[in-house]
Amino acid sequence: MEMGLLGLPQSGKSTIFRLLTGTDAATSRKRGEALRGVGVVSDPRVTELSGIFRPKKTTYATLTFVDMPSLDLESDRKDRNKVLQHVQNSDALLLVVRAFEDAAVAWPGRYGDAASQLEALTTELLVRDLEVAETRLTNLGEQARKRKPSPEEAAELSVLELALAGLGEGRPVSHLQLTAEQLRQVGSCGFFTAKPTLVVVNVDEDQLRAGTYPGQSEVEAQCLAGRLGLVTLSGQIEAEIGSLPPDDRAVFMEDLGLTEPGIDRLARAAYGHLGLISFLTVGEDEVRAWTINQGTAARAAAGKIHTDLERRFVRAEVVPYETFMTYRALAEARAHGVIRSVGKEEIIRDGDIVTILAGA
Ligand SMILES: Nc1nc2c(ncn2[C@@H]2O[C@H](COP(=O)(O)OP(=O)(O)O)[C@@H](O)[C@H]2O)c(=O)[nH]1
Ligand SMILES: [Mg+2]
């Protein structure tokens, strides 16, 4: 799962990237390049299970973040599209908006508060998608004059027209109620407004303590209307806390009224917004969390672990984490009949401990 950080210059993207991944974004990077980093999603269930199984290896779920170049609203369309291209491979977008106030960090007045930045960013994405749809429609239209469109092209054309009409009214592709099939038909456009999107408001210490920032109610209204996820972080302060010795962190977090680290809040919001859940595998070799879409069946979940396991899937043994924890051993759980043997169609749920049984 890859998430691209998009925002105006000096909004705190690189600071938040460092908070989430521990990677210093200032390290050797050419102008205009994006930087990838991995953030570990802490999961107390994995920690508990690791304590029980004492495996050789413990693996938490991860999220990949991409610190993108800043979107400079003053630069021309071509340069802005170059920045936006970095979004192409992202499964989801994080729109970083600056709320923190610091006279030492330049901030042109016209960039405005968090709400106007959010408005500017979502408009950028809409305009880009509108251009892509128009270009594709023109190309297909020209082809259609030379020869009869294939059935796929005809289907794509009609969905493109829907998309274009919606985008023209300022509606993101994710709001157009296109079916999965229709989205596939316009897949080559890679619409950015079809991607799940979360807004990250970067606040300062005072705002964090007060629980409010300028433009908050508009941001919340925009997120509600646009079905965007919303997380409030203080990139700088939380990164500073993260660099303290572990024993000191709790004190500072408590003082700020933070109950969990930024990555955990963001991961939870992202999982919720993207409809992701984790299932768990256990054993002497490894205890591990795996990320899947809600509603994934046992066989497809097996494919996450290894394509071979999907191909040779016979059945799966499943026990919810909470149930397992009353027995704390698979043999014990089995003896009490709480491990279910399920077929390939069984939907795997968040926190299920899963053992895949595969044939030859
Ligand atoms: N005072 C304050 N400064 C911050 C905060 N977050 C980031 N900064 C500073 O703002 C500047 C720009 O941050 P950076 O992460 O590089 O922004 P980017 O251009 O979006 O990548 C840096 O000097 C940061 O130290 C914050 O919460 N409070
Ligand atoms: Mg940066």
Side-chain angles (χ1 to χ4, degrees), residues 67-224:
D67 185 27
M68 311 202 322
S70 295
L71 190 70
D72 183 353
L73 295 179
E74 255 75 273
S75 66
D76 61 25
R77 187 80 241 155
K78 205 167 130 247
D79 281 340
R80 280 184 278 160
N81 278 345
K82 226 183 265 167
V83 172
L84 291 175
Q85 280 322 300
H86 292 285
V87 171
Q88 207 133 39
N89 298 322
S90 294
D91 304 296
L93 282 176
L94 297 179
L95 304 182
V96 177
V97 295
R98 166 170 166 173
F100 75 83
E101 283 166 25
D102 185 345
V105 183
W107 190 248
R110 61 186 176 282
Y111 282 178
D113 65 8
S116 37
Q117 293 162 60
L118 178 54
E119 182 73 47
L121 291 171
T122 48
T123 304
E124 283 295 308
L125 297 169
L126 269 170
V127 170
R128 180 270 179 193
D129 278 0
L130 199 61
E131 284 181 2
V132 168
E134 273 167 356
T135 308
R136 181 78 184 137
L137 203 60
T138 310
N139 290 344
L140 281 178
E142 270 166 21
Q143 275 181 30
R145 273 193 294 280
K146 290 177 203 142
R147 57 169 172 78
K148 193 172 173 311
S150 68
E152 298 90 73
E153 285 167 348
E156 185 180 349
L157 266 168
S158 71
V159 184
L160 274 174
E161 273 158 13
L162 282 177
L164 201 59
L167 288 162
E169 292 166 8
R171 293 161 69 205
V173 171
S174 60
H175 283 205
L176 302 180
Q177 289 175 319
L178 300 178
T179 62
E181 174 66 5
Q182 287 175 315
L183 280 172
R184 196 192 53 75
Q185 285 160 342
V186 290
S188 72
C189 291
F191 287 125
F192 292 170
T193 62
K195 292 180 191 276
T197 302
L198 283 99
V199 176
V200 180
V201 184
N202 188 20
V203 296
D204 60 35
E205 185 168 343
D206 293 342
Q207 294 164 344
L208 188 64
R209 284 183 194 281
T212 181
Y213 54 86
Q216 182 177 17
S217 52
E218 290 103 302
V219 168
E220 286 171 358
Q222 283 180 49
C223 288
L224 208 61

Side-chain angles (χ1 to χ4, degrees), residues 229-265:
L230 178 58
V231 191
T232 304
L233 290 181
S234 181
Q236 176 142 307
I237 294 159
E238 294 190 57
E240 277 167 18
I241 293 176
S243 65
L244 295 171
D247 288 348
D248 296 347
R249 287 179 206 162
V251 184
F252 282 89
M253 282 179 55
E254 200 184 315
D255 178 51
L256 287 164
L258 297 171
T259 49
E260 50 180 352
I263 172 107
D264 293 5
R265 297 205 305 283

